[in-house]
Amino acid sequence: MLQPQHQCIELTDVQLVGDLLLPPGAKDLVVFVHGSGSSRLSPRNQHVARYLSDRGLATLLFDLLTEREQRIDQVTCELRFDIPMLTRRLVGVLDWIAAKPELRHLPVGLFGASTGAAAAILAAVERPRSVHAIVSRGGRTDLAGEALEKVQAPTLQIVGARDLPVLGLNRKVSRALGCEQRLEVIPGATHLFEEPGTLQEAARLAGDWFESHLREPIQLGA
C-alpha cells in the first residue's frame, strides 16, 4: 500500500503539517480542505484520499490549524468559522505547491468539506490560475458570500438528501455560481455520510469530476 509522505508546510506566519500521497505517474493533485472541528486525520477524508489515490490522483491532506489552535477551537469553536484565516492559509499552501518541484507541474483540485468548502471557493477566486476544479462534500459554500459569482473553476457540490439545512444552502449556491457547476444529492445520506455506501458514492462522484476537469485548460473570464 502506498504510504503517505509527511510534509512540513512553511508559510509566512505559521508551519502546518500534511500528508502527501503521490502515486507513481500521478498527473493531478487534489488538496483536501477540511472544516468544522476536523483535521487531516479525518477518517472520511482519508477514505476519499485513498480512493482517489487508487485512481492515480495525488492527494494532500493538511491541517489548517496548529495543534495549539486545534485545542483552542475544540473549546471555543471559533477558528473553524474564521473563513478569512482559513482562506489565507489555503492560499499559502497553493503557493507552497507552486514552488515545490515535484508538485508544481500538477493541476490542482480542491476538495472542501463543511466550512473548508468556503475557504476552497475563496482561495480559487484569489488564485484562479492555480485551481482547476472544486468539489464540496457537505460544504458550507454559502459562507463564500459574494465571491460565488467570481468562481471560474468548475464546481461540484455533493450533499446528502437528509442533510436538509446544507442541502437548502447548496441549492442557493448552485443558482449563484457563474461557473460550470453541478449539485449532486446522495439519497439517504446525512451530513457526515455515515450511512452504508454514501461516502463511497461521494468519493466516486468527486473522482469523476476531478478526472473530467483537472486536465482542461483554465478558462479565465475577462
Side-chain angles (χ1 to χ4, degrees):
M1 178 183 292
L2 185 67
Q3 295 301 310
Q5 304 172 22
H6 186 73
Q7 304 290 315
C8 291
I9 305 172
E10 295 282 354
L11 305 185
T12 55
D13 58 345
V14 69
Q15 177 178 286
L16 304 177
V17 296
D19 294 318
L20 174 69
L21 283 172
L22 190 59
K27 295 182 173 62
D28 315 285
L29 172 63
V30 176
V31 178
F32 283 72
V33 194
H34 63 75
S36 304
S38 188
S39 75
R40 77 185 195 282
L41 303 179
S42 159
R44 287 175 293 279
N45 280 345
Q46 286 194 351
H47 175 87
V48 177
R50 282 288 178 188
Y51 172 82
L52 296 179
S53 174
D54 289 343
R55 290 180 65 156
L57 288 83
T59 62
L60 176 66
L61 288 156
F62 75 99
D63 287 334
L64 281 159
L65 304 179
T66 66
E67 288 186 8
R68 178 179 176 275
E69 290 169 340
Q70 288 180 37
R71 290 195 295 270
I72 293 171
D73 190 62
Q74 286 173 358
V75 176
T76 66
C77 298
E78 61 188 35
L79 296 177
R80 68 189 67 179
F81 285 101
D82 190 343
I83 306 300
M85 182 197 73
L86 301 181
T87 302
R88 285 194 304 273
R89 292 190 175 177
L90 177 55
V91 168
V93 170
L94 291 172
D95 292 346
W96 174 84
I97 290 169
K100 203 164 178 64
E102 65 267 39
L103 300 179
R104 63 189 179 197
H105 66 288
L106 300 176
V108 172
L110 300 179
F111 184 95
S114 195
T115 53
I121 293 283
L122 292 165
V125 171
E126 194 162 336
R127 291 290 186 272
R129 295 186 182 276
S130 298
V131 179
H132 289 240
I134 302 168
V135 172
S136 162
R137 175 184 62 79
R140 290 295 309 275
T141 45
D142 59 291
L143 295 176
E146 294 179 358
L148 290 167
E149 61 188 29
K150 301 176 184 177
V151 179
Q152 301 188 56
T155 300
L156 171 67
Q157 296 183 104
I158 304 171
V159 64
R162 294 168 59 195
D163 186 9
L164 297 180
V166 175
L167 176 57
L169 294 169
N170 279 194
R171 281 177 171 152
K172 291 180 180 178
V173 167
S174 184
R175 293 191 290 270
L177 286 167
C179 59
E180 178 186 349
Q181 62 84 30
R182 197 164 81 222
L183 175 64
E184 289 280 1
V185 182
I186 297 184
T190 52
H191 184 63
L192 295 180
F193 294 82
E194 295 175 308
E195 296 73 24
T198 57
L199 185 61
Q200 188 65 19
E201 176 63 7
R204 184 191 67 78
L205 290 168
D208 290 349
W209 190 261
F210 286 131
E211 287 185 352
S212 296
H213 294 91
L214 282 181
R215 294 165 203 174
E216 295 178 352
I218 297 177
Q219 302 293 332
L220 297 181

